[in-house]
Amino acid sequence: MPMNMTEKILAKAAGKDAVCAGDLISAEIDVIMCHDVTTPPAISMLKENGIDKVFDPERIVVTPDHFQPAKDIKSAELHKRLDKWAREKKIKHYYPIGKAGVCHALLPEQGHIRPGEVIVGGDSHTCTYGAFGAFSTGIGSTDLAAAIATGQLWFKVPESMKFVLNGTLPPGVYSKDVILAVIARIGTDGALYRAMEFTGSALGDMTMEARMTVTNMAIEAGAKNGIIGFDETTKQYLDEHLKDKTEYTVYDSDAEAEYVAVKEFDCSKLEPMVALPHLPSGGVPIGECSGKEMDQAYIGSCTNGRIEDLRIAAKIMQGKAVAIRTIVVPATPEIWKQMMDEGLGSIFYEAGCVVSAPTCGACLGGFMGILASDEKCVSTTNRNFVGRMGSPKSEVYLASPATAAASAIEGKLTDPRKFM
Amino acid sequence: MSKAHVYKRDHINTDEIIPARYLNTDDAKELAVHCMEDLDAGFIEKCAAGDVVVAGDDFGCGSSREHAVWAIQGAQVGAIIAQSFARIFYRNCINCGFYVVELPGAIEKINDGDEIEIDYEKGVIENKTQGTKLEFKALPDFAIEIINNGGLLKHISRK
């Protein structure tokens, strides 16, 4: 029976020869991602139910990120609970502060993501890791607790949609613009419960960092997972990043595999996109919204806080000054160091940006850049829901690092091609 | 019998249900104070124990934060009826032992303030105010068993 990538990985994880969409399976989990908001409650639940077991301390990766460094006493208590548990359970891959980073940037960078594996995490953007040809999905705290204890979870095999990204991205247009255009076309529930499989020449040209921006936002279309096939670019990234366990299995979609829908995009015709408030599906070409005055620019997050993103922003800001508050957040300590080593930190400083330690921070309205009422922020993050970055009366405009940097300089939504 | 609080809106997301500024706690009672705060600041005042929230499509989209379910449970909401649910939220509800009802056309069939009664196992909502019976697809048996056992972890530890 022909199968697509998602089905093949889930079949293997369930110990079956084949599965098809709609099957309920019990899957073996390869890697579990744990952070500071959803894991402490999972730990408490396990304790309350008299379950003390951790299925495999080598296959759980722990990093505080949402509110780290602790933003207040309550979040410090969450960190304390997480830290105590990680040490007690001898979690091998624990990244305390100094090593900690935004989870979805940190795990691939530190070599915890391999093709063909089943990865779950207590965070909706866990779908990011699908960029490596893995099945990866976000779960809540109860599922997380069950997975930590048993190494297994039940899943319904999702139907798959195929997104063919044709053509070549024009200058000034990036993978963020692509995924905003995809979500604008299908809506925030356009892929509800489904797998989003991405393919096509424009995708093939993208670096792994750029591909992760695409799969990161699969959840913003309601998807269970986003997934991208393995190629030479994937292999090269893995060769550079995998550490202790370097073997993996690659699964490709069969040519006759079934998809409930196939959507084609001509990326050559794409323009820089901005998702207007208050849904990630509010994407419009920059030409339709340029000139809108902003109060803040935010460059960071699991969507666009990687070194490539910082390079793109720095290139635009070099020798210029920002007109509004601009916050730059390298997603991991390694990215932070690279930024400094490459001189990007100085460019941001000279331009008048504030650069923070790695954190999810203001992306979710946690801290480090909260918006007041009636303020507007152009942000490289993934959500622009009401109140997402602060006051329920504030507004978030989602864009690429290039558009955010150009808008920071002008103080209003600006086409980044103006600076190229 | 429960009173329905109807929100004629799609995509009511987890940031509206429980804003992230309150995620520094996982205490349901503390979370409940802020339940639905960014959608309807008056919600917690008007919601009595057992009342039901009714909404459009894609309810609970966004974050995987189970805090959204705990806030709703802490506010003693009896159930949520929506035209459709976002995936992680739906799964979290069952895992927490909380009933979710998928009812196409929900926001047309139930008015704000209607008194309703839900039979979860049979899949019937009785709208006492309008004198109508609305059928929905009941949850599968295993999900009802998880809910009746008080959630996934209690369910597992009983086995």
Side-chain angles (χ1 to χ4, degrees), chain A residues 116-128:
Chain A
E117 296 200 340
V118 173
I119 304 152
V120 296
D123 189 278
S124 62
H125 294 108
T126 304
C127 50
T128 308

Side-chain angles (χ1 to χ4, degrees), chain A residues 24 37-38 40-41 44-46 49 51 67 71-72 74-75 78 81 122-124 137-143 145-146 153-155 188-189 192-193 219-220 222-224 279 364-365 383 385-388 390 392, chain B residues 9-11 13-16 19-26 30 37-39 57-58 61-67 70 84-88 90-92 94-96 102 140 142 146 151-157:
Chain A
L24 283 178
V37 170
T38 57
S44 301
M45 283 179 205
L46 288 170
N49 286 281
I51 305 167
F67 300 145
K71 74 175 178 112
D72 54 17
K74 283 182 179 175
S75 55
L78 291 175
R81 283 157 68 189
D123 189 278
S124 62
T137 193
I139 55 175
S141 296
T142 302
D143 270 331
L153 279 181
W154 68 267
F155 292 106
T188 54
D189 52 0
L192 195 60
Y193 290 84
I219 180 69
E220 307 315 330
K224 177 177 263 179
L279 285 176
L364 75 158
R383 288 194 178 128
F385 297 144
V386 170
R388 174 69 180 179
Chain B
R9 246 204 58 197
D10 299 332
H11 316 297
N13 56 73
T14 51
D15 279 288
E16 290 172 303
R21 55 186 177 273
Y22 304 121
L23 296 187
N24 54 6
T25 181
D26 53 355
E30 275 185 61
E37 186 171 293
D38 283 1
L39 173 72
D57 282 315
D58 198 24
C61 66
S63 158
S64 67
R65 64 185 73 151
E66 216 161 284
H67 307 63
W70 305 331
S84 63
F85 288 90
R87 187 190 75 81
I88 304 176
Y90 189 77
R91 190 173 168 119
N92 285 347
I94 294 168
N95 282 343
C96 291
E102 211 168 52
F142 82 94
I146 291 173
L152 181 67
L153 287 184
K154 288 199 177 74
H155 178 73
I156 291 176
S157 49

Side-chain angles (χ1 to χ4, degrees), chain A residues 343-362:
Chain A
L344 311 182
S346 297
I347 295 173
F348 293 134
Y349 167 76
E350 298 289 345
C353 307
V354 64
V355 180
S356 108
T359 182
C360 300

